[in-house]
Amino acid sequence: MTRAPEPSSGAERFDEDWARLLSGDHGTAVHPGLLDRLVSGTAGLLRRAQLDEPFEPHLAAEAGAQLVEAQFTDPIVLARAVELLQRQPAADGRGPALCGAFAAGWAAALRERTLREQEAIRTAADIARKEAEKALRASEARFRALFESAAIGIGIGDTHGNILAVNKALQELFGAGPEDMIGRRVGDLVHPEDADGVWDVYEELVSGKREYFQFDKPYYRQDGEVVWTHLTVSLIRDDDGTPQYQVAMLEDVTDRYRLQERLRHQATHDPLTGLPNRAAFFERLEKLFEDPDPGARFGLCYVDLDGFKVVNDSLGHDTGDQLLSAVAARLKAALSPLGHLVARLGGDEFVVLLENSRGEQEAVAAAKTVLKALAGPVLIGDHKLAVGASVGVLERRVSTTTPGAAVRAADLTLYRAKEAGRGRWTLFDPKENARAVSRYAVSVRMPAALDRGEFFIDYQPLYALADGRLAAVEALVRWRHPQLGVLGPDEFVTTAEETGLIMPLGRWVLEQACGQAADWIRRFGDAAPQLNVNLAVRQARSAALVGDLNKILDSTGLDPARLQLEITESTVVGPEDEALRTLHGLVERGVSLAVDDFGTGWSNLAYLRDLPVSGLKIAGSFVGDLHDPAKDEETGWRIVSGLVSMAHALGLTVTAEGVETRRDAERLRVIGCDWAQGWHFGRPVRPSEIARRIAEEPQGRPVAVRGRSVTHGD
């Protein structure tokens, strides 16, 4: 734990204010020496709670408890102490939490003190009851003195629920005279906010099944006001053990209850806008799911302001806060009369909850109401600020989802609205949500997937068309996802690019594939194929790539001349691109480069002339389109032939992707295409299958390697 810094001038001022507060006239007499120690000790605890890292709320709670132990039990002391703490600058915005912890400690200590006093009174009453059972007449005067002089309200009733006697404190508590209370029935004192089960427990007591019970219970005073009490009811039996009377003791805890309500309000409401906060919203939402009626429906409108960050950045956070308060007021004024809950989730995000929704149209109408409420400009100081919002709308049967899933679905729907152009509402679409959830599941699982060994590599063969020999293999990463099954690169590489996880994943692929290629060379010598590995755009633009590759080649022992890295056309966007420096560094190391999926990007042959590449892979769509009945096949072949000729003119080896038939393979051979890959030559397979194919390759045949022929064997 980080210790608090030495007292500053601010801390000294706090100590002075704190001492002045505790030295005031609160009806408590404390010896000066004890008061000094109390001031010093509690102020020190509060400073530590305010500044120590991590935040330890028990320090503030201990300070509150020490005040109660020193007889500072007047609620005014608590109110002024909380007010003083709120004026102190708190580290990391922990002011509300500091005040809450202090007040909670004070309240808990006061309650414990009160319970001890109540127990002492209950014990005294119990003693008096036993004395009365043994010698009622002898103890009558003593009991009457206790009854009349007690500081808490005491009432006596029979087991039929009739009130027989009340003391002066109880009369003052209810603001009534004896004639207003004696003769009434206990059952007449029901209050709508009575705790669940209080009257069931009462029936158990008067029937003799229990001896006493305690509850916090509200009552209506004679003037209609509500008073909160801590109620203790005990049963009195006769010498034979038969229930005779009930004795109720009531302590006025209204001030404490109101304090707790204020603290609860602070805990469940946003301090800036006054709207229910995230905790209150989820509490309300979860209640809908506790015991719903069959067919019960609900709706959510997830609201996010458009361009709010611009206001904060340009006009300052004070203006941003005022704008949020104005937005909250508009939303509450427009939607609360319709019976909808409006809450602020944080930042510039709000949510509208529709309980007992009548269908999608009602939820859509609420979303339109949101947009209409925010349509006009908001005047903040000298600024007229245009406020827009995007709204994700979800309306479902309660039985079809869960609170968490519903909020996630509404949030994802909101971002669909933003992607569609903002300033609009978008209705929940189960199919779109399922796709988004899948992407989310992938992104959440991916960071740990490498450590768990969930990725593996298959290899797709590339064959030389001139002689049909296995020339190379392309490493293709796969993910064995525990819930979604085996995923191909197209299902997670984009997410890896967006999250930055492509860097460690790409490094792992290079390490594994180079290690595998080196193993094939050790086993099969020159018969082993060249290794092709795809580079993501972010990898190719990384200055660390050359260093990483050097380490991998050194550790695996792979000859760099046996490695070809495939880049996409978007890797380099012009002759001045910084990525060119990295690519030249790779080639200087002895690695060759090829442009993958040529024809799907800018396809600028002038750039190809300037790039340090030795190979070009024609996108599979070119070959696939040759069999499209809506397109002219001969024109397509002429385009492919032209690409091959131009690539050869630039000194590049050409590989055709997506070759699925013998006829296409033969025609590509005739027009001079060097290599080909596709399902006709084999799908991606495990390393063991590639090893089998290498072993079955005939020896002594010419192999085309990067555009030139070399002969192996005799």
Side-chain angles (χ1 to χ4, degrees):
M1 179 180 70
T2 305
R3 301 299 300 173
E6 291 299 320
S8 63
S9 59
E12 293 172 354
R13 284 195 300 272
F14 172 77
D15 289 352
E16 293 172 359
D17 293 340
W18 190 250
R20 192 176 302 111
L21 170 66
L22 298 187
S23 302
D25 182 12
H26 306 297
T28 303
V30 182
H31 189 278
L34 295 177
L35 180 61
D36 290 343
R37 287 197 293 273
L38 177 65
V39 170
S40 175
T42 54
L45 288 171
L46 291 171
R47 283 197 305 274
R48 288 174 57 196
Q50 184 181 18
L51 298 175
D52 279 4
E53 292 292 342
F55 175 50
E56 295 188 1
H58 71 272
L59 297 174
E62 175 62 20
Q66 288 185 13
L67 291 190
V68 173
E69 292 300 321
Q71 310 298 325
F72 287 83
T73 58
D74 190 337
I76 294 176
V77 176
L78 175 62
R80 292 177 178 172
V82 169
E83 180 182 1
L84 176 59
L85 290 175
Q86 287 176 334
R87 295 200 303 265
Q88 304 305 309
D92 298 328
R94 60 178 63 154
L98 177 67
C99 293
F102 173 80
W106 187 91
L110 180 61
R111 178 180 176 83
E112 184 64 27
R113 170 193 173 96
T114 302
L115 290 176
R116 290 197 303 267
E117 292 177 351
Q118 290 175 351
E119 184 60 24
I121 294 173
R122 194 188 69 80
T123 301
D126 189 53
I127 293 173
R129 176 182 60 80
K130 291 179 180 179
E131 291 295 326
E133 290 173 352
K134 292 180 180 180
L136 183 58
R137 291 176 187 163
S139 63
E140 178 66 25
R142 187 182 308 164
F143 177 75
R144 179 57 58 185
L146 174 65
F147 180 75
E148 291 296 344
S149 62
I152 64 174
I154 301 177
I156 301 174
D158 59 25
T159 55
H160 299 294
N162 299 307
I163 299 175
L164 304 177
V166 292
N167 71 347
K168 184 177 180 181
L170 189 62
Q171 295 171 37
E172 293 175 350
L173 183 68
F174 278 84
E179 67 281 0
D180 299 314
M181 303 190 68
I182 295 176
R184 292 186 65 182
R185 295 186 57 80
V186 174
D188 296 337
L189 303 177
V190 173
H191 190 278
E193 295 185 47
D194 283 337
D196 293 339
V198 60
W199 291 103
D200 294 333
V201 172
Y202 173 77
E203 291 298 331
E204 291 178 3
L205 181 132
V206 295
S207 63
K209 296 179 181 178
R210 65 167 60 229
E211 296 302 312
Y212 78 98
F213 67 83
Q214 292 181 334
F215 274 97
D216 282 348
K217 182 184 177 341
Y219 290 96
Y220 286 113
R221 286 170 46 90
Q222 191 75 5
D223 56 10
E225 293 292 326
V226 175
V227 58
W228 277 85
T229 69
H230 183 71
L231 169 68
T232 302
V233 183
S234 300
L235 184 66
I236 297 177
R237 301 176 183 269
D238 61 14
D239 291 338
D240 297 328
T242 303
Q244 290 292 307
Y245 302 101
Q246 53 177 308
V247 176
M249 293 178 287
L250 293 82
E251 177 201 2
D252 186 351
V253 295
T254 303
D255 290 339
R256 188 182 74 200
Y257 175 80
R258 289 174 178 166
L259 173 62
Q260 291 172 342
E261 284 297 295
R262 286 196 297 272
L263 294 175
R264 174 175 171 77
H265 185 275
Q266 293 174 5
T268 58
H269 285 72
D270 174 46
L272 176 64
T273 64
L275 293 178
N277 61 12
R278 177 182 289 271
F281 163 71
F282 273 100
E283 180 180 350
R284 184 86 163 262
L285 180 63
E286 287 166 358
K287 282 184 179 179
L288 294 179
F289 287 78
E290 288 178 358
D291 187 22
D293 295 331
R297 305 183 70 88
F298 75 103
L300 291 177
C301 292
Y302 212 97
V303 183
D304 186 85
L305 302 186
D306 296 332
F308 177 73
K309 186 176 184 298
V310 176
V311 175
N312 260 352
D313 292 345
S314 60
L315 300 179
H317 289 276
D318 288 342
T319 301
D321 288 348
Q322 293 180 59
L323 178 59
L324 289 174
S325 296
V327 167
R330 287 191 181 188
L331 294 179
K332 184 175 181 180
L335 293 156
S336 294
L338 302 177
H340 306 327
L341 172 72
V342 181
R344 182 189 178 203
L345 299 184
D348 60 339
E349 289 187 345
F350 299 84
V351 66
V352 181
L353 172 61
L354 288 74
E355 301 178 274
N356 302 314
S357 170
R358 295 188 294 272
E360 281 187 355
Q361 291 305 314
E362 184 178 13
V364 169
K368 291 179 179 178
T369 301
V370 168
L371 297 179
K372 183 178 179 181
L374 302 180
V378 178
L379 182 62
I380 305 293
D382 297 331
H383 303 284
K384 277 189 176 182
L385 303 178
V387 153
S390 300
V391 186
V393 183
L394 171 80
E395 202 280 337
R396 303 289 299 278
R397 285 210 323 273
V398 174
S399 60
T400 62
T401 185
T402 64
V407 171
R408 287 194 297 272
D411 193 15
L412 290 171
T413 304
L414 164 67
Y415 282 97
R416 282 180 49 223
K418 282 191 172 293
E419 290 171 357
R422 302 188 173 191
R424 65 183 66 206
W425 58 268
T426 297
L427 191 61
F428 169 76
D429 183 334
K431 293 182 180 178
E432 286 291 335
N433 185 72
R435 282 191 285 269
V437 168
S438 295
R439 290 195 299 270
Y440 175 77
V442 166
S443 63
V444 167
R445 179 84 183 183
M446 188 179 291
L450 270 176
D451 295 335
R452 294 182 176 127
E454 296 175 5
F455 289 99
F456 65 95
I457 301 175
D458 281 341
Y459 298 85
Q460 185 171 27
L462 286 73
Y463 280 83
L465 292 173
D467 58 8
R469 188 177 182 84
L470 178 63
V473 292
E474 181 177 354
L476 298 170
V477 65
R478 304 282 190 262
W479 182 3
R480 190 177 288 106
H481 195 285
Q483 284 82 42
L484 304 177
V486 176
L487 305 179
D490 58 323
E491 297 178 272
F492 61 84
V493 166
T494 300
T495 300
E497 283 267 21
E498 293 172 351
T499 60
L501 293 169
I502 194 64
M503 299 302 292
L505 177 60
R507 189 180 303 112
W508 179 87
V509 171
L510 276 171
E511 291 172 350
Q512 298 298 310
C514 289
Q516 181 62 71
D519 179 66
W520 286 330
I521 292 173
R522 285 190 291 271
R523 292 169 60 188
F524 303 109
D526 289 340
Q530 171 185 287
L531 172 67
N532 288 16
V533 179
N534 292 284
L535 280 185
V537 173
R538 185 174 292 196
Q539 280 181 283
R541 291 178 175 274
S542 171
L545 176 61
V546 176
D548 287 344
L549 186 61
N550 284 334
K551 293 177 183 177
I552 292 171
L553 292 174
D554 291 342
S555 65
T556 60
L558 179 66
D559 180 359
R562 305 298 291 270
L563 173 63
Q564 184 169 86
L565 300 177
E566 299 181 6
I567 61 175
T568 62
E569 297 178 51
S570 58
T571 301
V572 179
V573 296
E576 304 300 324
D577 197 308
E578 284 293 325
L580 280 172
R581 183 179 301 175
T582 299
L583 298 181
H584 281 288
L586 294 173
V587 173
E588 290 171 1
R589 182 65 171 84
V591 174
S592 64
L593 298 177
V595 176
D596 191 17
D597 288 330
F598 184 79
T600 60
W602 37 261
S603 304
N604 190 322
L605 293 176
Y607 286 169
L608 284 181
R609 180 191 59 198
D610 298 329
L611 287 174
V613 296
S614 57
L616 181 149
K617 298 181 75 173
I618 300 174
S621 58
F622 279 95
V623 178
D625 286 348
L626 296 174
H627 305 292
D628 187 345
K631 298 180 180 180
D632 182 66
E633 181 177 355
E634 287 306 315
T635 300
W637 277 113
R638 283 195 294 271
I639 293 174
V640 172
S641 178
L643 289 174
V644 171
S645 298
M646 285 187 292
H648 283 165
L650 293 170
L652 305 178
T653 298
V654 182
T655 302
E657 298 180 297
V659 181
E660 299 186 4
T661 68
R662 180 185 297 274
R663 176 174 175 271
D664 289 342
E666 176 59 22
R667 188 151 185 181
L668 286 165
R669 185 192 66 79
V670 170
I671 65 178
C673 187
D674 302 297
W675 294 353
Q677 70 182 106
W679 288 1
H680 172 65
F681 298 100
R683 301 189 181 193
V685 293
R686 304 300 296 132
S688 58
E689 173 61 19
I690 296 297
R692 185 190 65 78
R693 293 194 182 197
I694 298 172
E696 292 177 354
E697 282 283 305
Q699 301 299 310
R701 295 175 58 184
V703 181
V705 179
R706 298 194 186 99
R708 65 182 188 274
S709 277
V710 295
T711 301
H712 300 296
D714 299 331

